[in-house]
Amino acid sequence: MPLYIAKRLAIGVGTIWAAFTLTFLLVHSTDNSPGAVRLGMGATPEEVEVENERLGWNRPLLTQYADDLGKMVRFDFGQSLINRGDVRDQLSDRLPVTASISVLATLLAGIVGTALGVVAAVRGRGTAKAVNAFSGFSLSIPSFWLGVVLVYFFAIRLDLLPATGYSRFSEGVGSWLQSLALPVITLAIGGAAVVARMAASGMREALAREYITTLRAIGTPEWRIRYIHALRAASLPVVGALGVQFIVLFGGSVIIENLFALPGIGQAALFGATGNDFPILIGVVVMSTAVVVITNLVLDLLTAVLDPKLRTR
Amino acid sequence: MTTTVQSNPPAIEVRDLVVRYGGGRRAMKTPPAVDGVCFDIAPGETLGLVGESGSGKSTIGKALLGLQPPTEGTIWLHGKDVTTASLKERRTLASELRVVFQDPYSSLNPARRIGQTLAESLRLIGIKGDAARARAITTLESVGLPSDSIDRFPSQFSGGQRQRIAIARALVRDPNVLVLDEPVSALDLSTQAQVLNLLADLRDEHKLAYLFIAHDLGVVRFLAHRVVVLYRGQVMESGPVEDVTSRPRHPYSVALTAAAPVPRPAEQIDRRAHREALSVGSASTAPPDPKGCPFASRCPLADGQCHAERPMLRLIGGQRVACHHAEQVGVTWPPPPN
Amino acid sequence: MSSIRQAKHQRIPAFLRSWGGVFGAGWLIIMFLASITARWWRPYDVAEQDLIARLQGPSSEYWLGTDAVGRDLFSRVFTAGALPLQASAVMVLVAFGIGLPLILIAAERGGRVEEAIGRFAETIMSLPSTVILLAAIGAIGNRIYPVMMIFGLLVSAALYRILIGVAKSSRQHLYIDAARVDGMGSIRVNLAHVLPSMARPIAVQAAIVYAIGLLIINGLAFLGFGPGEPQPSWGFMIKDASDNIFNSPWMMVPPGVALSLTVMAANALADALAGPLGIPEYTPPKRRRTISASPAQQSEGTDNLALSVRDLSVVVEGGPTLVSGISFDLRQGEVMGLVGESGCGKTMTARSLLGLLPAGVEVSSGSIIWQGRQIAGLPERDTIKIRGREIAMISQEPMVALDPLFSVKSQLTRPLRRFRGVGRREARRIALELLRQVGIVDAERVLRCYPHQLSGGMAQRVAIALALTGSPKLLIADEPTTALDVTVQAEILSLLRALVAETGMSVLLVSHDLGVVADICDRIAVMYSGQVVEAGTVAEVLEDPYHPYTMALLGANPHVADDAPEPERLAAISGSVPPPGNWPEGCRFADRCQFAASECSVAFEPEPAHVDGMSLCIRTGELRRTGAQWAPEHRGAELAVESEAP
């Protein structure tokens, strides 16, 4: 088991390195230069050249790569080309926003999805069809449109929740939750659909297994068969789906943060992309990859806890 | 290359065959699936390969067919070394050496008509069109299927009929050696008998040599002339089928023959008493010590030598036996049932 | 009647026979055609502004209203489909173009090659795709096709993860091996056999990925990375709508509905392509229909009769009969074998005793008298009290009979506490005792094991121990040794025999193996096509069979006595077992019987046979007199009869 964890960690580090390298290469393959970005439209080519020299852009590629890689290990991505702030500080300010949205959305998707899936598996055909139709529907509705629709009804028509903006946790839990409610619901609906399908098929598959017959043959009560044995079996694919959902939601927050004007990582990525802010771009990629890697690791450990075949290996 | 061609080389000759699955250090630590197996099959002869799950019997079949590359050892087909034959060589080899698998549901592509399946095999040796069709029909008729089977899909046939089609697929290239990998164990008893009879008929008609892989001693005894008993990848005993099944010399063969129940209650009562008196140990999942006899941990006759030294195959009576105590078997052991 | 089934003609592909499939394929095609031809039929140009008619709702002039600069939403919405529909298709092609070769190579080579490719795919999959795409846009600019190709690369890794299992199991088909033995090359094997067998999952994934592509393209457009003004895109139109949500909420409807319907179409197509899941629907055990059962008979007079089955019929609801009117008795402490080939109804008979028939199968008539009580048709809440406590069951595959996620200890102690009302500690003690009773020496270790850590024989012993937790009086053993090696089978048979002697329970053994029955059973009932055709003591029936089917089964068995000569040919039975619903009138075996005569085609009563047994053959007496023997048949036997039959 420790060997297994070490192996997964090594793969994770490799993945972060790959993400860094890929972005580094992308950034260096463009016609744009950091000097031009930093100085803006009005600068002359000479001024840009001087600025590039100052930023070390004209050094040999390998030197720059080694230098940036060394800094990256210390989570140092340099300064933003646009607002001149330290990238690490900016990102660590933004991380809690994105993390709150995606953690809450994952939790909501997990609870709602599992409940729907279990109901679909256990109740007869009609319920299963209804749940399946709901999830097919939810999977097809783009989150950015759903968000607009929800804003229209809940913020504009009913005036229940704020349409945009973010309120910090330290400013009060109530307003924090209110500011997150719409983005979280918007994100969670698609996730719940995925989880519901996983839970339903996992339960149904488990209930068709031979060992269920064994359990019945010794008079095991039906609730035990459903909610202890089958649900436990279905928990493996559900946990897997939740992990993937967290990753998807974390990435998908770009759109949601844009829609709801939330100061998260996704917004930074968007600014970086529109403004060619290379340090921000590299920082966001490395940080997001790290989140994915950590999520996968947690997921592996959780699966190992749930599955004795992995645990006893 | 031998300059003098023997007048009658064996159809199949296998020497010191070792097959390991996987590569790398971990694979070297686990015992090989097949461990130093030797046997010959004469033209027109049927050799039974018997063993329980994990004995390596199917792996030997795969190695012969080129589906699993051997780690060590040599395989000759009619005196020609085919151990590491390339794909192109296999294509011609495939006319001489054919296979019938266990599961008649998985061995035919459900999306293709029977005729397509047979023609696909013929096209590889340049027989196409009407010639291929005519040959396919003749072959189907020779296994007892109507000629209109050729335009049907596998799903339209029963298990026994599918196994006939699989046999036709093997025969369509007019081979002289057939690997039969548990060809009847997926079939019901009445169908099993039909297919066994068909295999016996075809052998007599076409002078086919069979490598007959099975776990059921009864069917092996019906079809095979000689038999090789495998345990954990090693040959325990080999010889004429009558001798090995009626007078086994290896403690494992004794246990195997005693364990097979017969449908005659009076006789089975005696057999059961005999079997329970053997006191052969239960199989464990732990791999055996590579130094000693693989059966030693279960064997009531085992002593220090058995754990320390792997017994070689020795000729005793009509059969070859890999046991240090083979002389005792059938004389002082097993004890008479009380 | 031909024994070769007729093929079903399927002109319309399966996925187009569902509403979802028709909608999915239809909508995508219509939307695509509409968008590429829009320039010739749309009422307004996409850039045409009507500043007087800004932010309007639907009207006869502007069917779907106008946007903030007075452009016609109808024209824009139907033009906007072309780019995402095409760019997503390119993305799908790139994803499969990279993914499929890798999948096929990994599945064929296995081992290290597969490990290396798998590792590569895993790394790619761990990249946060949205952020990578933004980074790509930041670096190479807002170019949709190249960006979607990069996305295709990312998706190929996910495809690998999803489809590698399909490819590997597809290579497990023996026809792949057969083609390789033929001398077929690797590429040809992949193209001719592996890929076609993966067609359905590939099509499903393609549709799903296509839907994701549509969402991503429009999501990027929403963020401002679309085709650029004035070219319309659904994503950017939604963004536009959200900016004008206070003035004209209607604006969000046309692009949102168009995009949602298009994505829904791709997803519906995927669902239709996937077809039914193949997982049986779970039907909760319900109250069984009360059948016209005869009242419980007095058990006096029938000496120590444990179980008495009378005229029991089992049917598929609205379908064929599986078991038709069988009767048999089982005494306390007796072992009875229910023998027959597959499809003769022996397992259904056994399961009906426990009320554990599969969904849609039910006892339609007859009685099951257990310890003097009628238990056929009892409601679930009453049968559940019998299960385990009075009648228990072990099944064929010990490795799948135990829940893989629970330890042996938890699986044994839970029912022990329920059945015997004991505490945790006492339950553990009894569990150990039970494990020792079923011949497990290191019971302490096995108690801590999970099912996957047990060998087949060991798992079957644990399953038997589990069946013993409620101290049942009848054990139903459904092919308990079929999946085991012959030496392990012998051990299990000896164990069952010892348990019967120790506990005095009865056993109903279901088996196809006459040898196993000869080894352990006292009595035997031979089944054929849902009927018992011969019954009696094992010694009588197997040594001197009355019924031609029993004779034939014995003749087909290659296990001859030691030193007896092996027969030249076995006594095969021509034809095959007719499937339920296809049983002939009169004697169901007559079609295949060597002794069939005209009187066999009418209904008849069973003849008494042996000491207290029966034989369901109208010619029993005659065959006994003439001493008829079942003769070996020759090749073609399976079809010979069909060609003669009318």
Side-chain angles (χ1 to χ4, degrees):
Chain A
M1 201 67 202
L3 185 78
Y4 175 70
I5 296 171
K7 221 174 177 177
R8 308 295 305 176
L9 265 178
I11 295 173
V13 170
T15 308
I16 295 175
W17 168 79
F20 169 78
T21 308
L22 190 75
T23 327
F24 179 88
L25 289 175
L26 268 175
V27 160
H28 281 263
S29 64
T30 61
D31 325 326
N32 247 320
S33 73
V37 175
R38 198 178 155 98
L39 297 180
M41 301 288 250
T44 64
E46 290 74 28
E47 285 167 353
V48 168
E49 198 48 38
V50 171
E51 187 67 14
N52 278 341
E53 192 63 44
R54 197 183 67 77
L55 290 168
W57 183 257
N58 295 338
R59 292 175 297 161
L61 198 63
L62 223 55
T63 321
Q64 288 191 55
Y65 178 69
D67 196 33
D68 286 4
L69 189 63
K71 284 185 183 156
M72 188 272 280
V73 172
R74 282 170 276 130
F75 282 103
D76 178 1
F77 304 102
Q79 281 182 349
S80 159
L81 299 177
I82 310 280
N83 62 22
R84 317 277 163 105
D86 185 68
V87 172
R88 182 175 43 185
D89 293 345
Q90 290 188 24
L91 291 185
S92 44
D93 278 351
R94 288 170 175 278
L95 185 62
V97 181
T98 308
S100 323
I101 303 172
S102 30
V103 168
L104 287 177
T106 309
L107 282 178
L108 188 61
I111 294 165
V112 174
T114 310
L116 283 176
V118 168
V119 167
V122 168
R123 305 290 288 275
R125 266 170 190 285
T127 324
K129 270 197 176 149
V131 170
N132 200 40
F134 161 77
S135 48
F137 194 71
S138 320
L139 280 175
S140 306
I141 298 206
S143 58
F144 46 92
W145 186 57
L146 183 68
V148 177
V149 174
L150 290 180
V151 164
Y152 177 70
F153 283 108
F154 289 98
I156 298 175
R157 294 297 291 268
L158 300 173
D159 201 19
L160 286 175
L161 295 160
T164 55
Y166 177 67
S167 161
R168 283 170 184 278
F169 190 77
S170 51
E171 293 165 32
V173 180
S175 59
W176 174 71
L177 275 177
Q178 273 196 349
S179 71
L180 289 181
L182 282 181
V184 164
I185 292 171
T186 309
L187 273 179
I189 284 181
V194 175
V195 174
R197 284 191 169 190
M198 276 293 180
S201 69
M203 279 283 276
R204 218 174 291 144
E205 221 167 284
L207 285 166
R209 288 287 175 79
E210 183 64 29
Y211 62 75
I212 297 292
T213 312
T214 310
L215 287 167
R216 291 230 171 89
I218 53 168
T220 311
E222 198 60 25
W223 65 266
R224 224 190 139 71
I225 288 176
R226 283 181 194 167
Y227 302 114
I228 305 285
H229 290 274
L231 192 58
R232 175 76 186 272
S235 70
L236 278 165
V238 165
V239 163
L242 275 179
V244 174
Q245 274 315 299
F246 178 74
I247 293 168
V248 170
L249 298 183
F250 194 89
S253 63
V254 175
I255 285 171
I256 290 305
E257 285 169 16
N258 178 270
L259 179 63
F260 291 98
L262 299 172
I265 299 279
Q267 205 182 42
L270 187 59
F271 290 164
T274 27
N276 295 310
D277 198 341
F278 300 155
I280 288 273
L281 278 181
I282 293 183
V284 169
V285 167
V286 169
M287 183 178 238
S288 313
T289 313
V291 168
V292 174
V293 163
I294 292 166
T295 311
N296 280 334
L297 196 65
V298 171
L299 203 59
D300 282 342
L301 292 177
L302 211 55
T303 322
V305 169
L306 288 172
D307 188 351
K309 241 181 228 178
L310 293 171
R311 199 189 323 153
T312 51
R313 181 169 61 185
Chain B
M1 285 257 53
T2 45
T3 42
T4 50
V5 179
Q6 279 181 301
S7 57
N8 200 3
I12 292 276
E13 214 178 330
V14 171
R15 285 291 168 273
D16 304 317
L17 184 69
V18 177
V19 183
R20 280 178 197 281
Y21 281 109
R25 228 175 302 147
R26 200 186 304 160
M28 292 306 285
K29 267 193 227 153
T30 54
V34 176
D35 194 354
V37 168
C38 307
F39 59 82
D40 291 347
I41 308 174
E45 186 190 37
T46 300
L47 178 76
L49 214 52
V50 189
E52 297 180 290
S53 53
S55 63
K57 54 188 192 301
S58 287
T59 308
I60 294 176
K62 282 188 180 166
L64 250 64
L65 295 164
L67 294 172
Q68 176 67 39
T71 315
E72 285 167 44
T74 326
I75 300 165
W76 286 275
L77 178 67
H78 298 299
K80 201 172 139 224
D81 187 345
V82 298
T83 319
T84 54
S86 70
L87 193 70
K88 220 175 208 171
E89 290 168 294
R90 281 270 163 211
R91 207 166 284 180
T92 47
L93 277 184
S95 300
E96 296 166 30
L97 176 66
R98 308 285 294 165
V99 64
V100 177
F101 289 114
Q102 169 175 4
D103 182 359
Y105 289 89
S106 156
S107 62
L108 298 169
N109 190 337
R112 302 186 149 218
R113 293 171 199 278
I114 306 310
Q116 286 174 300
T117 293
L118 295 183
E120 175 186 87
S121 182
L122 287 172
R123 193 168 50 227
L124 290 164
I125 49 168
I127 302 175
K128 288 176 199 158
D130 287 346
R133 193 178 165 84
R135 189 144 159 192
I137 288 175
T138 328
T139 317
L140 284 172
E141 283 171 345
S142 78
V143 298
L145 289 171
S147 55
D148 64 348
S149 309
I150 195 164
D151 291 321
R152 297 177 185 273
F153 288 99
S155 60
Q156 294 169 267
F157 296 90
S158 70
Q161 288 169 330
R162 280 164 178 244
Q163 205 56 311
R164 283 168 197 267
I165 297 166
I167 294 170
R169 181 193 173 128
L171 290 178
V172 75
R173 299 259 290 258
D174 207 8
N176 40 41
V177 185
L178 245 57
V179 173
L180 307 171
D181 189 353
E182 304 251 17
V184 294
S185 37
L187 305 177
D188 263 325
L189 196 55
S190 63
T191 328
Q192 167 179 312
Q194 292 169 13
V195 173
L196 284 174
N197 285 347
L198 173 68
L199 288 170
D201 288 345
L202 292 170
R203 174 181 65 196
D204 296 352
E205 226 168 273
H206 301 281
K207 303 278 168 288
L208 294 168
Y210 288 160
L211 176 67
F212 183 46
I213 300 167
H215 66 277
D216 183 342
L217 274 174
V219 300
V220 170
R221 211 174 145 192
F222 170 75
L223 199 64
H225 302 116
R226 285 189 308 121
V227 64
V228 170
V229 179
L230 290 166
Y231 185 74
R232 300 214 180 212
Q234 298 178 28
V235 177
M236 297 290 104
E237 180 166 2
S238 68
V241 74
E242 289 301 312
D243 294 346
V244 174
T245 53
S246 307
R247 285 170 298 282
R249 290 291 193 158
H250 193 287
Y252 176 64
S253 323
V254 174
L256 199 61
T257 47
V262 298
R264 289 173 296 280
E267 187 188 336
Q268 184 57 27
I269 291 172
D270 293 342
R271 289 177 66 93
R272 187 173 62 225
H274 173 68
R275 161 188 105 202
E276 284 170 1
L278 290 180
S279 66
V280 166
S282 297
S284 76
T285 42
D289 191 341
K291 286 201 308 286
C293 169
F295 190 58
S297 58
R298 297 174 66 184
C299 184
L301 294 179
D303 57 17
Q305 188 191 12
C306 299
H307 288 284
E309 186 189 328
R310 184 166 152 182
M312 293 290 114
L313 279 170
R314 300 180 289 148
L315 196 63
I316 295 175
Q319 54 248 65
R320 298 163 72 83
V321 189
C323 175
H324 295 303
H325 304 295
E327 284 78 5
Q328 265 173 269
V329 177
V331 184
T332 61
W333 186 87
N338 31 21
Chain C
M1 183 197 83
S2 167
S3 70
I4 298 171
R5 279 161 252 153
Q6 290 302 313
K8 279 171 262 158
H9 284 285
Q10 306 191 337
R11 287 237 177 74
I12 309 166
F15 73 93
L16 282 182
R17 270 181 269 136
S18 71
W19 286 111
V22 172
F23 159 69
W27 179 268
L28 287 177
I29 290 169
I30 290 171
M31 208 59 205
F32 179 70
L33 291 178
S35 64
I36 55 168
T37 57
R39 71 184 70 178
W40 293 294
W41 56 261
R42 62 191 171 202
Y44 301 92
D45 188 74
V46 290
E48 200 176 318
Q49 302 184 355
D50 181 352
L51 291 174
I52 305 157
R54 295 184 313 126
L55 296 171
Q56 278 191 356
S59 65
S60 58
E61 200 175 346
Y62 298 102
W63 297 339
L64 293 180
T66 58
D67 67 6
V69 288
R71 293 179 297 198
D72 178 39
L73 285 180
F74 178 82
S75 304
R76 287 177 69 78
V77 158
F78 277 93
T79 311
L83 178 77
L85 286 169
Q86 289 172 66
S88 188
V90 169
M91 185 275 289
V92 171
L93 286 180
V94 170
F96 279 92
I98 298 169
L100 271 186
L102 288 178
I103 290 164
L104 293 177
I105 290 168
E108 181 172 340
R109 294 297 185 78
R112 288 184 173 177
V113 176
E114 190 196 336
E115 206 171 306
I117 296 178
R119 188 88 16 112
F120 172 71
E122 200 181 324
T123 308
I124 300 234
M125 267 197 66
S126 297
L127 299 176
S129 49
T130 324
V131 177
I132 292 278
L133 289 186
L134 284 180
I137 291 172
I140 62 176
N142 180 18
R143 291 185 295 181
I144 290 163
Y145 280 94
V147 168
M148 286 316 282
M149 285 179 189
I150 293 178
F151 187 60
L153 171 74
L154 299 179
V155 168
S156 71
L159 285 179
Y160 176 86
R161 175 118 154 222
I162 294 167
L163 291 175
I164 182 70
V166 179
K168 280 171 82 177
S169 69
S170 150
R171 282 198 82 90
Q172 297 282 310
H173 288 301
L174 288 170
Y175 61 76
I176 306 273
D177 278 351
R180 287 171 67 202
V181 171
D182 276 350
M184 213 188 222
S186 157
I187 294 175
R188 220 152 143 185
V189 168
N190 275 316
L191 290 181
H193 293 291
V194 184
L195 270 183
S197 74
M198 292 170 68
R200 187 191 265 205
I202 287 178
V204 170
Q205 289 308 319
I208 291 175
V209 168
Y210 189 68
I212 293 173
L214 292 172
L215 284 176
I216 288 278
I217 293 168
N218 285 291
L220 290 174
F222 176 85
L223 294 175
F225 306 113
E229 286 289 301
Q231 283 307 307
S233 77
W234 293 326
F236 195 77
M237 287 164 81
I238 292 171
K239 175 71 183 165
D240 206 15
S242 94
D243 293 341
N244 291 292
I245 192 158
F246 288 95
N247 308 326
S248 171
W250 164 257
M251 249 178 87
M252 70 186 167
V253 176
V257 170
L259 174 56
S260 297
L261 277 176
T262 311
V263 175
M264 219 174 281
N267 280 331
L269 191 59
D271 281 352
L273 285 165
L277 278 170
I279 309 167
E281 199 74 32
Y282 166 77
T283 28
K286 47 166 191 201
R287 256 170 280 117
R288 249 164 288 280
R289 197 174 73 189
T290 329
I291 54 166
S292 52
S294 47
Q297 295 149 344
Q298 291 303 67
S299 50
E300 280 111 318
T302 50
D303 56 306
N304 66 345
L305 209 56
L307 177 75
S308 175
V309 173
R310 286 288 168 273
D311 300 318
L312 180 75
S313 290
V314 177
V315 299
V316 178
E317 255 173 286
T321 302
L322 303 176
V323 175
S324 55
I326 69 162
S327 303
F328 61 87
D329 293 328
L330 186 57
R331 287 174 190 80
Q332 196 58 49
E334 195 178 54
V335 182
M336 163 141 156
L338 213 50
V339 193
E341 297 180 278
S342 48
C344 68
K346 53 189 194 300
T347 294
M348 289 304 157
T349 306
R351 296 223 160 172
S352 68
L353 302 182
L354 272 174
L356 283 180
L357 290 167
V361 179
E362 59 180 23
V363 172
S364 62
S365 67
S367 65
I368 303 169
I369 310 295
W370 165 249
Q371 308 280 3
R373 263 180 309 147
Q374 163 71 278
I375 59 166
L378 275 189
E380 175 72 14
R381 68 187 137 79
D382 293 329
T383 21
I384 204 164
K385 290 181 196 145
I386 295 171
R387 291 186 203 137
R389 267 177 233 272
E390 298 180 39
I391 307 177
M393 183 173 84
I394 52 172
S395 55
Q396 180 167 358
E397 293 268 2
M399 298 305 275
V400 297
L402 301 171
D403 189 333
L405 297 178
F406 290 80
S407 68
V408 170
K409 180 183 157 191
S410 129
Q411 299 197 48
L412 283 179
T413 53
R414 181 60 59 182
L416 277 173
R417 292 172 63 184
R418 182 160 47 84
F419 285 136
R420 309 197 182 181
V422 294
R424 211 174 278 264
R425 185 180 287 245
E426 177 66 3
R428 187 176 185 280
R429 194 191 59 75
I430 303 174
L432 279 173
E433 202 174 90
L434 280 175
L435 287 180
R436 296 206 181 95
Q437 196 183 358
V438 297
I440 293 175
V441 187
D442 48 351
E444 287 276 359
R445 186 185 65 84
V446 170
L447 204 59
R448 284 194 306 272
C449 280
Y450 283 87
H452 72 275
Q453 294 166 309
L454 305 172
S455 67
M458 197 67 95
Q460 193 60 293
R461 284 172 196 272
V462 172
I464 293 173
L466 185 58
L468 294 179
T469 49
S471 322
K473 299 188 195 69
L474 169 62
L475 179 67
I476 296 168
D478 188 357
E479 305 260 10
T481 58
T482 306
L484 304 174
D485 276 328
V486 65
T487 56
V488 184
Q489 163 173 296
E491 290 170 15
I492 297 290
L493 290 177
S494 295
L495 168 66
L496 284 175
R497 171 168 286 278
L499 286 173
V500 168
E502 257 172 64
T503 64
M505 66 178 178
S506 320
V507 175
L508 182 69
L509 176 89
V510 174
S511 180
H512 69 283
D513 188 334
L514 293 171
V516 167
V517 171
D519 186 87
I520 191 171
C521 295
D522 305 309
R523 297 183 64 83
I524 181 173
V526 182
M527 288 189 72
Y528 184 80
S529 293
Q531 293 174 315
V532 174
V533 293
E534 182 165 7
T537 65
V538 163
E540 287 171 317
V541 172
L542 293 185
E543 302 284 359
D544 183 19
Y546 278 36
H547 195 281
Y549 179 64
T550 319
M551 287 184 206
L553 277 185
L554 283 163
N557 196 304
H559 287 268
V560 297
D562 288 342
D563 291 314
E566 191 66 49
E568 273 295 298
R569 295 294 180 265
L570 297 166
I573 312 171
S574 62
S576 46
V577 182
N582 230 342
W583 292 331
E585 285 290 305
C587 175
R588 294 174 185 173
F589 184 59
D591 276 2
R592 307 174 68 195
C593 183
Q594 289 182 349
F595 311 120
S598 53
E599 65 257 46
C600 297
S601 56
V602 291
F604 53 89
E605 287 297 305
E607 303 269 326
H610 310 295
V611 174
D612 56 350
M614 54 77 88
S615 166
L616 193 65
C617 174
I618 199 165
R619 300 193 65 200
T620 302
E622 202 183 332
L623 294 178
R624 298 294 295 170
R625 270 199 306 284
T626 53
Q629 289 292 313
W630 192 274
E633 283 242 14
H634 272 263
R635 173 172 14 155
E638 202 171 347
L639 297 155
V641 167
E642 269 84 13
S643 54
E644 286 162 19

